[in-house]
Amino acid sequence: MRVTVLSGAGISAESGVPTFRDSKNGLWSRFDPYQLSSIDGWLQNPERVWGWYLWRHHLLTQVEPNEGHRAIAAWQDHAEVCVITQNVDDLHERAGSRPVHHLHGSLFEFRCARCGLPYTGELPEIVEATTDMEPPRCRCGGLIRPDIVWFGEPLPEEPWQRAVEATEAADVMVVVGTSAIVYPAAGLPELALSRGISVVEVNPEQTPLSASATVSIREPASRALPGLLHRLTALLN
Ligand code: APR
């Protein structure tokens, strides 16, 4: 059975990684996405953006994959699994999932904003979110930036192509931990449904996908995912 997973920030919530739109401690309730996650914000104040992403990078080095990540990795023993994630953390990889396609980039990849050369230099540990810091410079003189897709920027071509292929080839798509409102990623479950592919949503909250999903499981990832493949196999065979 071919299972394609689309994950969002919610799958990492139980690892202690803040989501974006959670009303209580979501990142966008505490910080301005325009200032910190847009090319304009970067051009206006690269020090503030660089310090904020180094803080998020520091947070990610302090957390572990949870039962949800581990369940998806374990599915690989029983099915052909392809993980597409909107997340910039490496928790799917650390749980053992392969391949993982990052539609919005990764907080473990950095590159020159001018020439695109990857940056592999040392990164200072920033423990405060509001620490402005001068980004390092590339040998071409450009500033080093996170290799993350900011609002208004195009998605990287290769992960997007893999994501569309994996969606169209799936026997079932599991959509976990996403508010399903940011396109083009949010269009993938719609593509699956348009091809007659079952879409199973896992989210403790209702989302715009919930009504059209084949099944919408109103549970957190660490509870719903461990037994899900077994249930899906019984349902689909
Ligand atoms: N298990 C499953 N889902 C959860 C859990 C959990 N334990 N906890 C929270 N959620 C759900 C929330 O109900 C919400 O629907 O995860 C979702 C998180 O939504 P967002 O914070 O909007 O994150 P995401 O959907 O990944 O955002 C998409 O927006 O800001 C951009 O680039 C950023 O990749 C991000 C994109």
Side-chain angles (χ1 to χ4, degrees):
M1 180 165 71
R2 287 166 304 196
V3 182
T4 293
V5 176
L6 173 65
S7 67
I11 194 169
S12 299
E14 291 166 273
S15 295
V17 182
T19 64
F20 293 97
R21 294 174 181 82
D22 180 275
S23 50
K24 291 182 289 297
N25 73 344
L27 288 173
W28 298 151
S29 64
R30 292 184 281 160
F31 304 99
D32 176 350
Y34 182 75
Q35 274 188 356
L36 295 165
S37 259
S38 76
I39 192 70
D40 292 344
W42 163 257
L43 295 173
Q44 275 161 27
N45 191 335
E47 296 77 14
R48 174 172 54 198
V49 174
W50 180 248
W52 191 69
Y53 276 96
L54 285 183
W55 166 70
R56 286 183 62 198
H57 179 269
H58 169 70
L59 282 186
L60 292 181
T61 61
Q62 309 297 302
V63 297
E64 296 295 325
N66 62 55
E67 280 313 304
H69 298 106
R70 280 195 281 274
I72 291 172
W75 292 354
Q76 293 172 125
D77 300 338
H78 311 285
E80 202 181 311
V81 183
C82 181
V83 176
I84 305 160
T85 188
Q86 299 170 89
N87 300 343
V88 294
D89 63 48
D90 61 348
L91 295 176
H92 280 300
E93 291 90 337
R94 286 170 54 196
S97 285
R98 295 290 182 283
V100 177
H101 300 294
H102 286 265
L103 296 180
H104 295 164
S106 165
L107 245 180
F108 294 87
E109 315 270 328
F110 296 86
R111 62 174 159 84
C112 173
R114 178 187 292 173
C115 72
L117 192 71
Y119 174 77
T120 53
E122 281 300 301
L123 293 170
E125 274 209 0
I126 300 281
V127 294
E128 287 297 322
T130 53
T131 310
D132 288 3
M133 173 164 279
E134 174 76 22
R137 285 200 179 266
C138 173
R139 51 171 179 262
C140 80
L143 288 177
I144 300 302
R145 60 166 280 182
D147 200 5
I148 283 190
V149 180
W150 283 328
F151 287 111
E153 291 189 310
L155 266 57
E157 189 52 37
E158 198 271 337
W160 177 251
Q161 280 312 319
R162 296 292 84 72
V164 171
E165 286 161 10
T167 300
E168 292 176 335
D171 293 308
V172 61
M173 182 175 221
V174 176
V175 182
V176 48
T178 182
S179 52
I181 58 173
V182 175
Y183 285 78
L188 292 168
E190 294 164 3
L191 171 63
L193 288 167
S194 72
R195 298 292 177 95
I197 296 166
S198 300
V199 170
V200 178
E201 178 184 47
V202 172
N203 195 321
E205 311 278 335
Q206 187 139 345
T207 74
L209 175 63
S210 302
S212 53
T214 316
V215 177
S216 188
I217 301 171
R218 201 64 70 245
E219 289 179 7
S222 65
R223 188 168 346 128
L225 293 178
L228 186 59
L229 185 67
H230 179 71
R231 288 159 64 186
L232 289 177
T233 309
L235 274 171
L236 293 175
N237 288 343

